[in-house]
Amino acid sequence: MHLKLTKRHILATLILSLLPLVTWAAPDGMPLLTVTENGEHREYSATLQILLLMTAISFLPAALLMLTSFTRIIIVLAILRQAMGLQQTPPNRVLIGIALALTLLIMTPLFQDIYTSAVTPYLKEELSLLDAIQVAAVPLQSFMLSNTREIDLEQFLAIARIENLHGPEDVPFSVLVPSFITSELKTAFQIGFILFIPFLVIDLVVASVLMAMGMIMLSPQMISLPFKLMLFVLVDGWALTMGTLANSFN
């Protein structure tokens, strides 16, 4: 019984939260729900723009992963944590928070450009919804193209069997997205490999010293971890890593 009441409460909360987004039934609206109150029937409808907006909101997490700098940053931070020998420090939530903050810093000029060129004219009813989307896609496509390798772009163009493009601006978004993600993965692993080398050297040196001293049963990782942390702090590793990630984007 308690479970049924909980589901009803959730459904009622969802309906109440959607009511501000809907309007009274109109010829240009799409019927959404009917509410009966004191024997009177009231029909609510939603415009196509609201439905498209609600659908687009559900794709925001995927867009954050695929169309911004978030993927490269979070992979590099995860590799850095693994190279230092720290399993859950910093925890995943902290790494995601750092990646989101740095992504916001890197993407702020792009977001400002999109807001100025697309969102503001749309709110002033100077552009339609489709025109605003097309205008907003231009700076985003430029950012993705500037951070995509030509070899990756050519590979996915060949997969899609697209030829004779007049310029980079003619690359379809369906081809640009996987090309951009592949390039981001390559760049992230390259940066991670460079970060891994000094910590690997410390592990090898500590393991060699312990073996020479006959301490075979002692874990080299337990001895090398303090030296890794000391080295990382002395060289101001976090600032260098953040700066390298931010400067790696064009």
Side-chain angles (χ1 to χ4, degrees):
M1 184 65 182
H2 177 70
L3 181 60
K4 293 182 179 179
L5 291 176
T6 303
K7 289 182 178 179
R8 290 177 182 177
H9 291 163
I10 295 176
L11 181 60
T13 303
L14 179 61
I15 294 175
L16 290 176
S17 64
L18 291 176
L19 286 179
L21 299 178
V22 300
T23 57
W24 290 105
D28 58 345
M30 182 179 298
L32 184 63
L33 57 90
T34 302
V35 178
T36 302
E37 184 179 356
N38 297 328
E40 298 181 357
H41 298 280
R42 294 183 179 180
E43 188 177 76
Y44 292 87
S45 64
T47 62
L48 182 60
Q49 292 183 353
I50 293 177
L51 293 178
L52 291 176
L53 179 61
M54 294 171 61
T55 304
I57 291 176
S58 63
F59 288 97
L60 284 179
L64 177 64
L65 294 176
M66 296 187 300
L67 308 181
T68 65
S69 58
F70 181 83
T71 301
R72 182 189 304 186
I73 297 171
I74 192 63
I75 290 178
V76 171
L77 294 179
I79 294 177
L80 175 61
R81 184 178 64 179
Q82 186 70 24
M84 295 177 64
L86 302 173
Q87 300 299 326
Q88 294 297 329
T89 305
N92 293 331
R93 293 182 179 181
V94 175
L95 290 184
I96 293 175
I98 295 174
L100 286 174
L102 194 56
T103 299
L104 181 61
L105 175 64
I106 295 172
M107 303 297 294
T108 293
L110 177 65
F111 292 154
Q112 290 177 345
D113 190 7
I114 293 176
Y115 184 82
T116 302
S117 60
V119 177
T120 301
Y122 172 72
L123 295 178
K124 294 181 180 180
E125 298 183 355
E126 298 176 358
L127 291 176
S128 63
L129 179 61
L130 294 179
D131 292 338
I133 293 176
Q134 293 177 355
V135 172
V138 173
L140 182 61
Q141 186 176 16
S142 177
F143 168 80
M144 297 173 66
L145 281 172
S146 62
N147 291 280
T148 302
R149 290 180 172 83
E150 293 184 4
I151 185 173
D152 296 326
L153 194 58
E154 293 174 356
Q155 177 183 359
F156 285 97
L157 285 174
I159 294 175
R161 298 180 180 179
I162 298 177
E163 300 178 355
N164 301 324
L165 294 177
H166 298 289
E169 64 278 358
D170 296 331
V171 177
F173 214 68
S174 59
V175 175
L176 180 58
V177 172
S179 303
F180 174 74
I181 295 175
T182 305
S183 296
E184 288 294 283
L185 291 175
K186 289 182 179 179
T187 306
F189 277 95
Q190 288 177 355
I191 299 176
F193 173 75
I194 296 175
L195 292 174
F196 215 106
I197 291 178
F199 300 108
L200 180 61
V201 171
I202 294 177
D203 286 333
L204 292 176
V205 171
V206 171
S208 299
V209 172
L210 291 177
M211 185 174 295
M213 296 176 63
M215 299 180 180
I216 303 177
M217 302 301 296
L218 188 61
S219 175
Q221 185 177 1
M222 183 177 64
I223 304 300
S224 62
L225 180 58
F227 292 98
K228 292 179 182 179
L229 295 177
M230 182 181 63
L231 174 65
F232 194 72
V233 171
L234 289 178
V235 300
D236 200 6
W238 286 115
L240 291 176
T241 303
M242 300 299 176
T244 301
L245 286 172
N247 294 326
S248 64
F249 289 93
N250 297 324

